[in-house]
Amino acid sequence: MRWTLPSDRVPEAWFNVVPHLPGPLRPPLHPATREPIGPDDLAPLFPMALIGQEMTADPWVDIPGEVLDVLKLWRPTPLVRAERLEQALRTPARIYYKDESVSPAGSHKPNTAVPQAFYNRSEGVKRLTTETGAGQWGSALGFATSLFDMECKVYMVRASFEQKPYRRVMMEVWGADVEPSPVDDPTHPGSLGSAISDAVRDAAGREDSHYSLGSVLNHVLLHQTVIGLEAKEQLRDAGEERPDLVIGCCGGGSNLGGLALPFVGDPDVAMLAVEPSSCPTLTAGRLDYDFGDTAGMTPLLSMYTLGHEFIPPPIHAGGLRYHGDAPIISNLVEHGRMQAVAYPQGKVFDAAVQFARTQGTIPAPETAHAIRAVIDEALAAKERSEEKVILFGYSGHGLLDLGAYDDYLHGRLADS
Amino acid sequence: MRWTLPSDRVPEAWFNVVPHLPGPLRPPLHPATREPIGPDDLAPLFPMALIGQEMTADPWVDIPGEVLDVLKLWRPTPLVRAERLEQALRTPARIYYKDESVSPAGSHKPNTAVPQAFYNRSEGVKRLTTETGAGQWGSALGFATSLFDMECKVYMVRASFEQKPYRRVMMEVWGADVEPSPVDDPTHPGSLGSAISDAVRDAAGREDSHYSLGSVLNHVLLHQTVIGLEAKEQLRDAGEERPDLVIGCCGGGSNLGGLALPFVGDPDVAMLAVEPSSCPTLTAGRLDYDFGDTAGMTPLLSMYTLGHEFIPPPIHAGGLRYHGDAPIISNLVEHGRMQAVAYPQGKVFDAAVQFARTQGTIPAPETAHAIRAVIDEALAAKERSEEKVILFGYSGHGLLDLGAYDDYLHGRLADS
C-alpha cells in the first residue's frame, strides 16, 4: 500500500528542531579565533536568508512560494508500507518508508538544493559552487540551479569523475560545469576535502558566486524536514498514531534529520541512526569541536567526529563517508534522544538485495544501511511478538550504483 | 501539478480495444501453412490464460487480485502537468504526461511482465525465457518473476551485454540469469532476432518453461491499458473533459497502445505515434504479413513492417528498433484513426534536454521521441493560439541511458 498526498499538501513551513533539542546547541567557532562566529563571517559564502535560517530559534520557517512550486514537481513523496518485506520476514512489525528516491535527482538532496538556489538568486547571486563525491549532491544542485537560470560549478572528486561518468553526465544534462578535483594536480585521485577546498576558494574569489553545502548545517536539516512532516500526515492516513521507531542512514545527517526531527517532541518515538562500520562517527567517534573539511578552512562545529583528517575506506555508500555529523544529530545522540548502530557493507548489501526481491525497487547503498537495521529490528520484534511500527527513510535509488551490486553479486565486495 | 490516485483506484479490469477497432483485425497465420493459427499452436510457448486474452473479443478482462497487489507497488502512476515546459514554450497548450518511469524497472514494461509471470505460474510454469536488447524488457520480466518465485532466463544481445552492464546487473539483482546471445557464437555481436531465437528454442525444449514477449501482441497491449484508464480518470480530476491529442513513442506499440487505446472510442481525441527516422515502420513501412522475429520462427502478423530482416542503425532508443508494429496499432494507422511521424535522434535529444532543464526529470531516449512531437505540437498550437490539451506517455526514465546523453552533449551523437 502507498499513501500519496495531493500537490497542495506539501508543507508550507519548515520545522525548526532547535527549540526542542534536549540540550543547548553549541555555536560554531571561528577557525582562527575560536570565538563564536557571527553572520558577517558567513556572508562571503552564503546569502543572508540562509545565514538567518542557520541561526534562527523560530519554531517554524515559511517556505517561499517559488520554492514550493518546484518542490511540487515531485512532492509530496509517497509513504509506502513494505508489506511484501514484512511477509518475507514473517514479522508482526509494520514497516513504512518515505520514498525520497522519486525526485528528479533520485534522492532527498533536492529538498535543500532548491531553496538554496532560490535564496541565492533572490539576493543576486548568479552562480553556485559546490563539491561532490559520488555525485548525489552535485546532481541535486545542478538540477536546482537549472530551474532558477543560475550557473553551477561542481568540483567532483577526480577518482569518481573518471570512474563514475554517469553522475557527471547527469549534472551536465542540467547544464552544470563539472571539473575534477583537485584542480591543481591532475594526477591526484582527490577527496571530498580537496573538492570542498576548490569550491570554497572559487566562491570566495568571485563576486557573482556563493558556495553551497548539502548536509551537516542547521539550515540544510531544516529544509529536509518536509520529509518528516509529510510522513506524519501520511502515517495518520494509514491509521497509525505514531511510529515506534524512526530509522535513517546517517552520513552528514540531513536525510535522517529530515525524517526524524519532526518527531523529536514525542518521547514515545525512538530514533536510530545507521552508519557504516568503516566510518563509525556516532558509534566510535568523539564529541568535539572539529573542522567541517579536511583542509581546515571551515568554522569549527560541535559534533561527533573521527577527526577531520580521517579518510574512510572507499565503500560504495559514498554519501556516508564523512568524518563528522551534523551538530543537531550529534546533540540528539549526546543526550540519548537518538541511538546509533554501525554495519559492514556485506550485511548491508544482503539487505538491499532482499529488499529488491520483495518490494521491487533497488535502493542506494546509503539507503540500504537503513534497510539492514529495519530488517534486524523487524526480526527482533518477531522474537518478542511485538506489533512495532517502524518508519524509515528511503533516501535514494540505486540505479546509478549498479556497479556496487555487480561487485556484491559476483563476490568482489570488500566487507569493510 | 501532479494528480495522484490512491492505491485502491488501480483499474480492476483491462480495456480490450478489439471490439472498437475501425476495421477487423487480421488473424495471425501459421508460419508453415499460412492458415490462421489456433490456441494449440501457441500452447508450447504461452499459458492458456494469455492465449485466451490474445484472441478474446470481450470488452473488458478482469485483473486478478494477485496481479493488482503487485501493480499497487507503484500504481496508480502520477499524471503530471508540464507547466514549466509550457511556460518555456510560451504555448497556450496544456501538456500532461502519464509517468510510467516510477515502476521498479523504470518503464511501463512491468504492467505486462507482472500478469505474464502470474498466469504462467498459475498454470504451473516455473521458468520464463525471453530476449532483451538494451535491457528494459528483460529487467521488467526479471522483476516480475522475482515476486512470483519463478526462474527467469534472459538472452541479451551480446553487444549490449558487454557495453551496457548496468541493465544486466539490474536483472541479476532480481535473480535473473542473463546470457549473451547468440549463445552458439561468442564472437557475434548479436541482434534482437538472434536473441528471440535463443529464447524461443530454450522454452520450446523444456517442460518447465514458457516464453514471454514484451510488446506487439494483443494481450500485451491489453495489459498496458491500465495506463490510459488511469489517465482518463486523472484528467477528469485535473478538470479536463478529454485530451485533444494523445502522443506516444512507438517501437512495438505497447507503450503507445496502453495510453491511447482507452480513448479510441472518442472521435474527438486524435492520436499520434512517434518513431525514429532510422526505423520508420509506420511512416515508411508497408502493411503486410511478416514474421515477428528475424529468424522466421514466429507466426506471421499483419502489420506495418520494414521486413523482418531489416536491421536498424544502432540508435540509442533501443526500444524503438523493431522492424514491425503491433497489429492493433497497424490497424488504427491503416484506417486513419492514428497518425504517425518520424524524427532523427539529434532533434529528439534536443527535446530531451529541454525537458530535463524545465521539468527536472531525464527521459529515456524512447520517451524523448514523444517529447519531441509534443514540443512541436505545442509550438504549432501557439501559432494558432489554440488551447489544445496534449497527453503524452512518459514511458521511462533515462538514468540507465546517460551514456547517450554524454554522446549528445559532447558532439558524438550520430544524427540518424
Side-chain angles (χ1 to χ4, degrees):
Chain A
M1 277 286 283
R2 289 151 65 245
W3 287 268
T4 50
L5 291 171
S7 293
D8 59 8
R9 276 162 76 188
V10 173
E12 295 184 357
W14 292 298
F15 173 79
N16 185 10
V17 77
V18 172
H20 308 275
L21 289 176
L25 203 56
R26 295 183 193 90
L29 305 182
H30 194 281
T33 65
R34 295 189 76 99
E35 294 293 319
I37 56 168
D40 291 349
D41 295 312
L42 296 172
L45 295 181
F46 300 106
M48 289 313 295
L50 291 178
I51 294 170
Q53 292 177 3
E54 186 65 23
M55 300 182 169
T56 186
D58 293 348
W60 294 92
V61 177
D62 284 346
I63 306 179
E66 281 178 80
V67 171
L68 282 174
D69 283 346
V70 177
L71 294 183
K72 286 174 184 172
L73 287 174
W74 72 95
R75 303 205 72 85
T77 62
L79 180 79
V80 188
R81 181 160 170 200
E83 288 162 307
R84 301 181 77 93
L85 178 63
E86 292 171 15
Q87 287 157 15
L89 300 173
R90 299 173 198 275
T91 177
R94 297 194 291 283
I95 302 172
Y96 296 86
Y97 64 91
K98 183 68 172 159
D99 186 2
E100 292 295 308
S101 76
V102 299
S103 81
S107 79
H108 68 295
K109 292 289 186 189
N111 295 331
T112 185
V114 171
Q116 289 195 44
F118 167 77
Y119 287 118
N120 273 287
R121 203 203 48 172
S122 301
E123 297 186 22
V125 175
K126 299 202 173 77
R127 180 174 173 273
L128 288 178
T129 74
T130 197
E131 74 289 336
T132 202
Q136 279 279 15
W137 168 242
S139 54
L141 196 66
F143 155 68
T145 49
S146 81
L147 298 190
F148 290 104
D149 289 324
M150 300 173 78
E151 288 181 57
C152 184
K153 173 77 181 224
V154 181
Y155 293 92
M156 187 172 187
V157 172
R158 179 171 278 105
S160 296
F161 183 90
E162 289 170 354
Q163 290 160 22
K164 300 184 177 178
Y166 268 25
R167 281 260 172 221
R168 189 252 308 155
V169 177
M170 201 174 189
M171 294 182 254
E172 290 176 347
V173 167
W174 285 312
D177 176 20
V178 188
E179 185 173 343
S181 168
V183 294
D184 55 4
D185 182 359
T187 64
H188 195 290
S191 71
L192 218 43
S194 79
I196 294 179
S197 302
D198 280 333
V200 168
R201 198 174 295 120
D202 177 329
R206 283 179 61 154
E207 269 296 314
D208 65 347
S209 300
H210 267 166
Y211 169 71
S212 179
L213 192 68
S215 190
V216 177
L217 299 179
N218 299 350
H219 70 271
V220 178
L221 272 65
L222 177 79
H223 298 158
Q224 293 290 357
T225 58
V226 290
I227 305 173
L229 293 169
E230 287 176 7
K232 250 188 176 173
E233 194 170 341
Q234 289 165 314
L235 276 175
R236 279 194 294 266
D237 288 350
E240 304 289 0
E241 198 182 342
R242 67 168 66 81
D244 297 304
L245 176 60
V246 177
I247 297 179
C249 63
C250 185
S254 75
N255 151 66
L256 171 62
L259 182 65
L261 297 184
F263 295 97
V264 158
D266 185 340
D268 292 331
V269 180
M271 299 177 174
L272 182 64
V274 192
E275 57 186 18
S277 304
S278 57
C279 190
T281 51
L282 294 169
T283 54
R286 69 180 194 287
L287 185 67
D288 201 356
Y289 268 107
D290 198 3
F291 294 105
D293 68 328
T294 313
M297 295 167 73
T298 72
L300 290 155
L301 302 173
S302 171
M303 60 183 182
Y304 283 91
T305 175
L306 297 164
H308 65 278
E309 292 181 329
F310 178 80
I311 306 281
I315 57 166
H316 288 290
L320 307 184
R321 294 177 68 239
Y322 186 67
H323 68 274
D325 294 281
I328 285 173
I329 297 291
S330 297
N331 181 291
L332 293 169
V333 172
E334 176 188 2
H335 293 93
R337 182 65 189 86
M338 179 181 279
Q339 312 302 315
V341 64
Y343 285 106
Q345 79 174 344
K347 284 188 193 303
V348 164
F349 276 90
D350 291 345
V353 169
Q354 183 168 19
F355 189 86
R357 292 182 183 176
T358 50
Q359 291 299 124
T361 53
I362 300 176
E366 292 85 353
T367 309
H369 282 74
I371 295 171
R372 172 76 270 165
V374 167
I375 290 175
D376 287 358
E377 290 286 338
L379 292 173
K382 177 177 163 185
E383 289 294 312
R384 297 189 301 265
S385 301
E386 190 185 359
E387 284 194 31
K388 195 168 189 167
V389 177
I390 300 173
L391 168 67
F392 79 95
Y394 194 89
S395 53
H397 62 64
L399 299 180
L400 299 182
D401 302 283
L402 287 167
Y405 282 90
D406 200 19
D407 287 350
Y408 169 78
L409 292 169
H410 295 98
R412 297 188 303 263
L413 193 73
D415 189 19
S416 57
Chain B
M1 277 287 284
R2 289 151 66 244
W3 287 267
T4 51
L5 291 170
S7 292
D8 60 8
R9 276 164 73 191
V10 173
E12 296 184 355
W14 292 298
F15 173 80
N16 186 11
V17 77
V18 172
H20 307 275
L21 288 176
L25 204 55
R26 296 184 191 89
L29 305 182
H30 193 283
T33 65
R34 296 188 74 101
E35 293 293 319
I37 56 170
D40 291 350
D41 295 311
L42 296 173
L45 294 182
F46 300 106
M48 289 314 293
L50 290 178
I51 295 170
Q53 292 178 3
E54 187 65 23
M55 300 180 169
T56 186
D58 292 346
W60 294 91
V61 177
D62 284 346
I63 306 179
E66 281 177 82
V67 171
L68 280 175
D69 283 347
V70 178
L71 295 183
K72 285 174 184 172
L73 287 174
W74 73 95
R75 304 204 71 85
T77 61
L79 179 80
V80 187
R81 181 160 170 201
E83 290 163 307
R84 301 181 75 92
L85 178 62
E86 292 171 14
Q87 287 156 16
L89 300 173
R90 299 171 198 273
T91 177
R94 297 194 291 282
I95 303 173
Y96 296 87
Y97 64 92
K98 184 67 171 158
D99 185 3
E100 293 295 308
S101 76
V102 300
S103 82
S107 79
H108 67 294
K109 292 288 186 190
N111 295 332
T112 185
V114 170
Q116 289 196 44
F118 168 78
Y119 286 119
N120 273 288
R121 202 202 51 173
S122 301
E123 296 184 25
V125 176
K126 298 202 173 74
R127 181 175 173 273
L128 288 179
T129 73
T130 198
E131 73 290 334
T132 202
Q136 278 281 15
W137 168 242
S139 53
L141 195 67
F143 156 69
T145 49
S146 81
L147 298 190
F148 289 104
D149 288 324
M150 301 173 77
E151 286 180 61
C152 184
K153 173 78 180 223
V154 181
Y155 293 92
M156 187 172 188
V157 172
R158 179 171 279 105
S160 296
F161 182 91
E162 289 171 354
Q163 289 159 22
K164 300 185 177 178
Y166 269 25
R167 281 261 170 220
R168 188 252 308 154
V169 177
M170 202 174 188
M171 294 183 253
E172 290 176 347
V173 168
W174 285 312
D177 176 19
V178 188
E179 188 174 342
S181 167
V183 294
D184 54 5
D185 181 359
T187 63
H188 195 290
S191 70
L192 217 43
S194 80
I196 294 180
S197 302
D198 280 334
V200 168
R201 198 175 295 119
D202 177 330
R206 283 179 61 154
E207 270 298 312
D208 65 347
S209 299
H210 267 167
Y211 168 71
S212 180
L213 192 67
S215 191
V216 179
L217 300 179
N218 300 349
H219 70 271
V220 178
L221 272 64
L222 177 79
H223 298 158
Q224 293 292 357
T225 57
V226 289
I227 304 172
L229 293 169
E230 288 177 6
K232 250 187 177 175
E233 195 170 340
Q234 290 166 313
L235 276 175
R236 279 194 295 266
D237 289 349
E240 305 288 1
E241 198 182 343
R242 67 168 65 82
D244 297 305
L245 176 61
V246 177
I247 297 179
C249 64
C250 185
S254 75
N255 151 66
L256 171 63
L259 182 65
L261 298 183
F263 294 96
V264 159
D266 184 341
D268 292 331
V269 180
M271 298 178 174
L272 182 64
V274 191
E275 58 186 19
S277 305
S278 57
C279 191
T281 52
L282 294 170
T283 52
R286 69 180 195 286
L287 185 66
D288 201 357
Y289 269 107
D290 197 4
F291 294 105
D293 68 328
T294 312
M297 296 167 72
T298 71
L300 290 155
L301 302 173
S302 170
M303 59 185 181
Y304 283 92
T305 176
L306 296 164
H308 64 280
E309 292 180 333
F310 177 79
I311 305 282
I315 56 164
H316 288 289
L320 307 185
R321 294 177 67 240
Y322 187 66
H323 67 273
D325 294 280
I328 285 173
I329 297 292
S330 297
N331 182 290
L332 293 170
V333 172
E334 176 187 4
H335 293 92
R337 181 67 188 86
M338 178 181 279
Q339 312 303 314
V341 64
Y343 285 106
Q345 78 174 346
K347 286 188 192 301
V348 164
F349 275 89
D350 291 345
V353 169
Q354 181 169 20
F355 189 86
R357 292 183 184 177
T358 50
Q359 291 298 124
T361 53
I362 299 176
E366 292 84 353
T367 309
H369 282 73
I371 295 172
R372 173 74 270 164
V374 167
I375 290 174
D376 287 357
E377 290 286 340
L379 292 174
K382 179 177 160 182
E383 290 293 313
R384 297 189 300 266
S385 300
E386 191 185 0
E387 284 193 29
K388 195 167 189 170
V389 177
I390 301 173
L391 169 66
F392 79 94
Y394 194 90
S395 54
H397 63 63
L399 298 180
L400 298 182
D401 302 285
L402 287 167
Y405 282 90
D406 200 17
D407 287 350
Y408 169 76
L409 292 170
H410 298 282
R412 296 189 301 266
L413 193 74
D415 189 18
S416 56

